[in-house]
Amino acid sequence: MSGRWLKFEEIEDDFVRCLICAVPLLVTGILSLLFVLVLRRKLLSKKIGKDIDVPKIDYLGAKVKSGSIAFLKEEYKYLGVYVLFWAVLLAILFSISPMKKAASDDGIRSAACLVIGAVLSGVAGFIGMT
């Protein structure tokens, strides 16, 4: 190849193209999870209120946690309606005018992707708050 970079469009194998796109994302995700595990371990090794003779800190922490869960429950009620509205709209629009002529399931697939993404985002928010 005499010092010339290979262009992405020149790669004919779809599997190799997919790997070129997915591997950096996968490595970044794994490194992020490792970073979170290190931070979690460090945080859990810290002393809590009862260990430092300040039990009021534990009481306040419990109040904050219960408040955050109540907030999430209320927020997810509204987000559920919002996501449902957009999912139905996407399903209708992409069923009427699909992205590809032969693809009659574009609407359902687009709506499903939106709902799955919203659910995963919600789960991440719930895990982060609890």
Side-chain angles (χ1 to χ4, degrees):
M1 227 193 311
S2 71
R4 179 175 91 75
W5 286 92
L6 183 64
K7 293 184 179 178
F8 187 75
E9 296 81 24
E10 295 173 353
I11 300 171
E12 294 180 15
D13 189 4
D14 285 340
F15 181 72
V16 173
R17 292 174 90 171
C18 186
L19 279 179
I20 290 171
C21 294
V23 168
L25 299 173
L26 184 62
V27 169
T28 303
I30 290 170
L31 289 175
S32 299
L33 288 175
L34 290 173
F35 179 68
V36 167
L37 288 175
V38 168
L39 287 180
R40 184 178 187 274
R41 172 180 265 172
K42 192 174 181 179
L43 180 65
L44 290 177
S45 70
K46 302 290 183 189
K47 293 181 180 181
I48 59 174
K50 67 180 180 180
D51 296 335
I52 57 173
D53 294 328
V54 186
K56 185 149 181 125
I57 292 176
D58 294 333
Y59 171 76
L60 292 173
K63 289 292 186 183
V64 169
K65 186 173 183 175
S66 68
S68 67
I69 291 172
F71 166 76
L72 282 179
K73 286 180 181 178
E74 192 65 26
E75 180 183 33
Y76 289 170
K77 287 178 194 175
Y78 291 102
L79 280 176
V81 172
Y82 180 80
V83 168
L84 184 65
F85 168 78
W86 284 107
V88 169
L89 189 67
L90 279 175
I92 292 170
L93 289 176
F94 284 116
S95 293
I96 293 171
S97 177
M99 290 178 266
K100 292 183 179 180
K101 297 284 184 206
S104 61
D105 61 344
D106 274 355
I108 299 298
R109 287 186 305 124
S110 298
C113 288
L114 176 78
V115 170
I116 290 169
V119 167
L120 290 176
S121 177
V123 168
F126 185 78
I127 290 171
M129 287 283 221
T130 57

